[in-house]
Amino acid sequence: MGMIRLPPIKNDQLSASQIKVIKAIQNGPRGDIPMTGPFGVWLRAGNIGDAIQNLGASLRFETILDEKVKELAICIVGHHYKTKFEFAYHERLAIKSGVSAEIINDIKNDSAPSFIDKRLNLTHQIATQLLEMHSITDELYQQGFDEFGEQGMIELVSLVGYYCLVSLTLNAFKIPIDKDMKDPFPDER
């Protein structure tokens, strides 16, 4: 990935708004996580960073969508953008939530996954179509609406959009994977 564009920031260099972002993240549902990945970027833009992390916390922890649906959608976005940090981080969470390692590996390796779970298949179709077509067909929308309801569809589309922001942030600032992560896309820069 080359040289990272934002060197680590030291605690004694943080502004009041940056400290507010760190405290909001660490006192929220994510817990005391390191300020790596997108959070290491967003904390530098205090007020915007706080708004972004609040949206992310809502989408990850306050939706009607089950964890398998959310984590599969996140992995699909990470794969689409070849975002190493995002995919490596959420691959573990997807498997822990019950998405099979085979499905995650198929996505990672550009193979069409085979789904038994109708909801996961629909999630895959919706997320993939959003990323490739920048919209979804009327037929797929109706299937999603019938399965997830109005609120669920809004949350799923919002989740995909949020993780596009995460992916673009990570890729634009060339944020590396953490030391304990395995590179999901070793052939990508």
Side-chain angles (χ1 to χ4, degrees), residues 98-127:
V99 179
S100 75
E102 182 180 350
I103 287 172
I104 297 301
N105 286 329
D106 284 345
I107 292 167
K108 184 181 354 183
N109 296 315
D110 299 318
S111 298
S114 179
F115 295 96
I116 296 169
D117 183 327
K118 173 185 168 191
R119 289 170 67 86
L120 293 183
N121 185 40
L122 197 52
T123 299
H124 181 264
Q125 289 178 48
I126 291 168

Side-chain angles (χ1 to χ4, degrees), residues 1 73-87 107-108 110 127-134 159-172 175 184-185 188-189:
M1 260 186 129
I74 294 166
C75 286
I76 292 165
V77 175
H79 170 264
H80 177 79
Y81 287 101
K82 298 292 190 248
T83 308
K84 295 171 183 256
F85 187 99
E86 180 179 339
F87 195 95
I107 292 167
K108 184 181 354 183
D110 299 318
T128 300
Q129 203 169 96
L130 280 168
L131 292 165
E132 291 176 358
M133 294 177 43
H134 314 289
L159 182 81
V160 170
Y162 173 79
Y163 279 93
C164 290
L165 169 61
V166 172
S167 291
L168 292 171
T169 299
L170 291 166
N171 287 347
I175 303 302
F185 312 117
E188 299 289 325
R189 291 180 172 217

Side-chain angles (χ1 to χ4, degrees), residues 170-187:
L170 291 166
N171 287 347
F173 294 101
K174 298 188 178 198
I175 303 302
I177 57 175
D178 287 346
K179 289 179 178 73
D180 66 334
M181 294 177 173
K182 185 173 190 263
D183 187 342
F185 312 117
D187 296 334

